[in-house]
């Protein structure tokens, strides 16, 4: 189980994440929503170790991992996807995944230059790599150089790497952003498949409410760095804080709020004929 | 300048490749090819962007949408074909010369100056204002209403903004002054639903003042809401163009063009 206890970070005078305490249980998908700048990505950074907390702690299976760096946390099972480019751009898709598979089997390569073990491992590594590529439906692109891949494929590959690293916690930061409508289902299906695995804990930052509604077992809401709501998706979505601060009150609600749809109108000043 | 309607009132079932007859084209690409290094990305793009309308460029990842926008701005050089803006050939012009035709462009990576403040980023785009005092305050207030983060972090370094806030700044900066043509690569990316609402209202208002808007957008719900004209790309060519209304009403067309199963 992943847990944050009073997790806090200050940037100068600004408290970006403010005493957030939360537990994330394996076999569940928790969506984290909130206005832009609420602290969602910062919260992810604190969990994955990109940022060190000012106070509070991060626990994985009861162990305090707050002092660990990113790579140690990754080895402990924390998998962070997106907004973090951890691909090798000049290697092929296959080589990227195989490296990640290899990283989980470090033990077998500490025997020094044992040519027999290298040769015998090779088949197993390649087989596992092929399995993972099949899971993310990228077998046909295994020989492509990563730098030449479209954005969506690079994101799929990142999920493949997390699978290869045998992560237990998967953190997705807007996984479908920048992805065309025909490609988004591939990533969503991957997340759905992960969700069916009772050993995996999934955290998802997502602005598309249809995706949240469909995938989340639970929603937490961050606003100005503070946890303001936590519960069943339907109840949280219906709550006033989400309706007004996040979704933007619909005209029927007519309730004023500082982030409700703008009332101001573009000042008219004739035409726009300024081209030389 | 056309009347300010959200969508054309007449459902015009135009055949593919037809230019919407209701409006003349402000920007036209004909037979545009673009190479990036050894890769041949655009294979003869024909695109017509009607004046004072919102045109959506759709298509799967890798179809050539961003390359098309970059070619329009002269950031990639067309290896063949012609680009015409407001009746003039802009194919051979440099990026600054193209921008000077009163075109605003928000690139995929937003192009925020991280070490400058939000205010300085905005001021840079306000070409007719030498200082903050000369900025159009009414227009600024309008922008602040749309994107509250821009006002809130006015004197902060832009690099400290969150991803979504940077996106707000990038779009805010592109509309700080009236432009003839506004080009945005994925305006809704990373934005909370309330801000996307604000932005679609803003694009509608800009259009009503005669601004022509060209967007690459993956959020089909947003695209449906604001688009007048649509061009779908695949493998470096435009494979369909027509009205958004037509695409909205034709589930089979959506499925075949965009892989949408609704």
């Amino acid at each position: 189980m992943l847990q944050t206890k009073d997790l806090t970070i200050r940037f100068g005078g600004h408290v970006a994440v403010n005493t957030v305490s939360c537990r994330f249980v394996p076999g569940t998908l928790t969506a984290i929503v909130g206005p832009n700048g609420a602290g969602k990505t910062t919260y992810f950074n604190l969990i994955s170790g990109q940022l060190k907390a000012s106070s509070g702690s991060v626990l994985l299976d009861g162990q305090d991992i707050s002092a660990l760096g990113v790579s140690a946390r990754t080895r402990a099972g924390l998998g962070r996807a997106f907004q973090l480019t951890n691909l090798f751009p000049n290697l092929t898709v296959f080589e990227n995944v195989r490296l990640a598979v290899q990283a989980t089997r470090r033990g077998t390569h500490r025997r020094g230059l044992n040519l027999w073990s290298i040769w015998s491992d090779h088949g197993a590594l390649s087989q596992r790599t092929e399995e993972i590529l099949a899971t993310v439906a990228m077998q046909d692109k295994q020989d492509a150089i990563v730098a030449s891949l479209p954005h969506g494929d690079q994101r799929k590959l990142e999920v493949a790497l997390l699978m290869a690293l045998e992560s237990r916690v998967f953190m997705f930061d807007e996984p479908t952003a920048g992805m065309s409508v025909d490609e988004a289902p591939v990533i969503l299906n991957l997340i759905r498949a992960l969700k069916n695995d009772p050993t995996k804990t999934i955290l998802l930052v997502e602005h598309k409410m249809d995706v949240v509604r469909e995938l989340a077992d639970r929603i937490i809401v961050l606003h100005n760095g503070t946890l303001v709501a936590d519960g069943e998706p339907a109840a949280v979505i219906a709550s006033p804080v989400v309706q007004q601060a996040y979704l933007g009150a619909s005209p029927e609600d007519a309730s004023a709020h500082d982030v409700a749809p703008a009332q101001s109108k573009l000042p008219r000043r004739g035409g726009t004929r300024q081209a030389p | 300048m056309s009347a300010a309607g959200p969508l054309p009132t007449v459902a015009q079932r135009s055949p593919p490749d037809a230019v919407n007859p209701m409006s003349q084209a402000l920007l036209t690409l004909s037979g545009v090819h673009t190479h990036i290094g050894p890769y041949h990305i655009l294979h003869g793009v024909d695109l017509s962007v009607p004046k004072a309308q919102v045109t959506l460029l759709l298509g799967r990842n890798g179809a050539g949408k961003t390359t098309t926008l970059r070619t329009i701005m002269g950031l990639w050089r067309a290896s063949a074909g012609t680009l015409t803006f407001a009746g003039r050939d802009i194919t051979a012009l440099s990026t600054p010369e193209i921008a000077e035709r009163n075109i605003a462009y928000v690139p995929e990576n937003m192009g925020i100056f991280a070490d400058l403040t939000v205010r300085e980023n905005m001021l840079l785009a306000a070409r007719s204002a030498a200082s903050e005092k000369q900025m159009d305050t009414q227009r600024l207030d309008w922008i602040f209403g749309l994107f509250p983060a821009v006002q809130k972090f006015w004197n902060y370094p832009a690099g400290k903004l969150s991803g979504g806030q940077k996106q707000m700044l990038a779009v805010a900066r592109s509309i700080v002054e009236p432009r003839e043509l506004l080009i945005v690569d994925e305006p809704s990316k990373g934005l909370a639903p309330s801000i996307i609402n604000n932005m679609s209202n803003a694009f509608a208002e800009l259009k009503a003042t005669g601004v022509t808007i060209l967007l690459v957008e993956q959020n089909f719900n947003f695209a449906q809401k604001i688009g007048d004209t649509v061009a779908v790309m695949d493998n470096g060519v435009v494979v369909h163009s027509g009205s958004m209304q037509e695409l909205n009403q034709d589930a089979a067309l959506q499925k075949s063009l965009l892989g949408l199963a609704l």
Side-chain angles (χ1 to χ4, degrees):
Chain A
M1 184 183 68
L2 173 71
Q3 190 181 357
T4 68
K5 268 192 192 167
D6 295 327
L7 203 58
T8 301
I9 188 167
R10 293 181 198 88
F11 299 120
H14 177 62
V15 188
V17 171
N18 195 352
T19 57
V20 176
S21 296
C22 213
R23 290 160 187 260
F24 304 99
V25 183
T28 60
L29 186 148
T30 306
I32 302 168
V33 307
N36 295 116
K40 304 180 294 293
T41 299
T42 306
Y43 187 52
F44 265 23
N45 284 334
L46 289 171
I47 294 173
S48 63
Q50 257 89 12
L51 288 173
K52 283 274 167 12
S54 307
S55 60
S57 50
V58 182
L59 290 88
L60 188 60
D61 297 330
Q63 277 205 305
D64 192 332
I65 57 167
S66 312
L68 301 183
V70 177
S71 49
R73 291 190 201 194
T74 304
R75 279 196 294 277
L78 278 182
R80 166 84 184 271
F82 315 137
Q83 294 202 340
L84 165 76
T85 307
N86 47 8
L87 302 173
F88 295 99
N90 297 320
L91 298 184
T92 66
V93 167
F94 190 88
E95 287 163 342
N96 266 273
V97 176
R98 193 175 55 194
L99 272 173
V101 171
Q102 231 167 331
T104 62
R105 303 184 186 191
R106 294 179 311 148
T108 59
H109 287 276
R110 287 208 172 147
R111 283 172 291 185
L113 260 180
N114 180 335
L115 289 176
W116 168 250
S117 85
I118 290 173
W119 183 80
S120 67
D121 282 353
H122 192 265
L125 290 178
S126 297
Q127 197 191 337
R128 178 74 187 129
T129 303
E130 278 162 20
E131 282 169 20
I132 291 166
L133 286 173
T135 316
V136 297
M138 288 189 83
Q139 309 102 300
D140 55 330
K141 290 180 177 165
Q142 65 173 39
D143 296 323
I145 297 293
V146 167
S148 74
L149 287 180
H151 190 60
D153 283 339
Q154 296 198 10
R155 294 199 146 181
K156 271 198 267 180
L157 183 56
E158 282 185 293
V159 180
L161 293 192
L162 295 187
M163 289 176 165
L165 288 168
E166 292 166 10
S167 304
R168 288 176 293 148
V169 178
F170 285 74
M171 302 166 70
F172 294 102
D173 199 342
E174 292 201 65
T176 64
M179 216 173 258
S180 56
V181 279
D182 64 317
E183 290 212 335
V186 178
I187 285 289
L188 296 179
N189 286 336
L190 281 180
I191 296 175
R192 231 171 258 133
L194 285 172
K195 208 179 111 125
N196 287 332
D197 184 338
T199 65
K200 308 289 191 202
T201 306
I202 309 171
L203 275 61
L204 171 72
V205 167
E206 180 59 66
H207 283 305
K208 291 173 189 142
M209 290 313 280
D210 49 341
V211 172
V212 169
R213 224 175 254 123
E214 200 221 301
L215 291 178
D217 302 305
R218 168 191 177 201
I219 298 179
I220 65 174
V221 184
L222 288 180
H223 189 39
N224 293 328
T226 309
L227 187 68
V228 293
D230 179 354
E232 298 265 313
V236 172
I237 291 172
S239 68
V241 62
V242 170
Q243 286 296 320
Q244 289 174 23
Y246 184 58
L247 298 174
S250 54
E252 300 90 75
D253 299 341
S255 49
H257 192 281
D258 59 345
V259 286
Q263 297 300 309
S264 67
K265 287 280 175 233
L266 170 64
R268 299 293 183 96
R269 290 202 310 184
T272 57
R273 267 168 265 101
Q274 292 182 6
Chain B
M1 207 173 284
S2 67
L7 281 168
T9 44
V10 185
Q12 202 85 37
R13 269 198 88 87
S14 46
D17 300 318
V19 175
N20 189 334
M22 296 177 68
S23 182
Q24 68 181 109
L26 178 69
L27 173 72
T28 311
L29 280 70
S30 46
V32 169
H33 287 252
T34 299
H35 290 76
I36 303 177
Y39 301 104
H40 189 175
I41 310 290
L42 300 185
H43 296 262
V45 170
D46 295 310
L47 174 69
S48 178
V49 179
K51 199 165 168 51
Q53 289 198 10
V54 179
T55 299
L56 266 303
L57 199 51
L58 307 177
R60 68 190 74 231
N61 292 117
K65 305 182 297 295
T66 294
T67 303
T68 299
L69 299 191
R70 289 180 61 86
T71 305
I72 292 168
M73 293 309 296
L75 293 162
W76 297 125
R77 187 60 56 201
S79 41
T82 312
L83 295 97
T84 313
F85 178 73
R88 293 183 193 189
D89 189 335
I90 60 163
T91 316
L93 298 188
S94 69
T95 300
E97 287 168 333
I98 293 168
E100 271 174 23
R101 308 257 143 187
N102 213 9
I103 301 175
Y105 169 59
V106 180
E108 201 178 22
N109 67 7
M110 304 181 280
I112 297 297
F113 297 99
D115 295 333
L116 299 185
T117 64
V118 169
R119 181 182 65 84
E120 288 162 341
N121 269 276
M122 293 287 283
L123 192 53
L124 271 178
R127 298 172 197 167
S128 61
S131 73
E132 187 181 345
K133 286 182 193 134
Q134 290 173 12
M135 286 173 93
D136 180 341
T137 51
Q138 270 186 303
R139 197 172 173 98
L140 267 187
D141 286 341
W142 173 66
I143 291 172
F144 291 159
L146 297 169
F147 305 120
V150 173
Q151 183 171 30
K152 190 174 170 193
F153 297 103
W154 191 240
N155 286 310
Y156 281 69
K160 299 236 165 164
L161 299 180
S162 79
Q165 289 169 340
K166 281 182 188 149
Q167 177 70 3
M168 285 186 224
L169 172 58
V171 176
R173 201 175 53 178
S174 72
I175 59 177
V176 70
E177 283 181 350
R179 302 272 177 251
E180 192 94 9
L181 173 64
L182 171 61
I183 302 175
V184 189
D185 202 340
E186 284 208 60
S188 80
K189 196 159 109 184
L191 294 181
S194 64
I195 303 296
I196 296 179
N197 272 343
N198 290 354
M199 199 156 56
S200 57
N201 294 341
F203 287 155
E205 287 181 60
L206 288 167
K207 185 178 79 172
T209 66
V211 178
T212 305
I213 302 175
L214 172 62
L215 308 173
V216 162
E217 183 55 61
Q218 304 282 21
N219 179 340
F220 190 63
N221 290 334
F222 176 59
Q224 270 182 314
K225 201 171 146 195
I226 58 171
D228 300 313
T229 317
V230 61
V232 181
M233 293 190 69
D234 198 19
N235 292 320
V237 291
V238 173
V239 293
H240 169 88
S241 51
S243 75
M244 182 57 91
Q245 196 168 353
E246 172 195 14
L247 187 59
N248 278 345
Q249 289 165 353
D250 194 336
L253 192 60
Q254 289 174 19
K255 191 158 170 29
S256 71
L257 288 173
L258 304 167
L260 275 179
L262 298 175

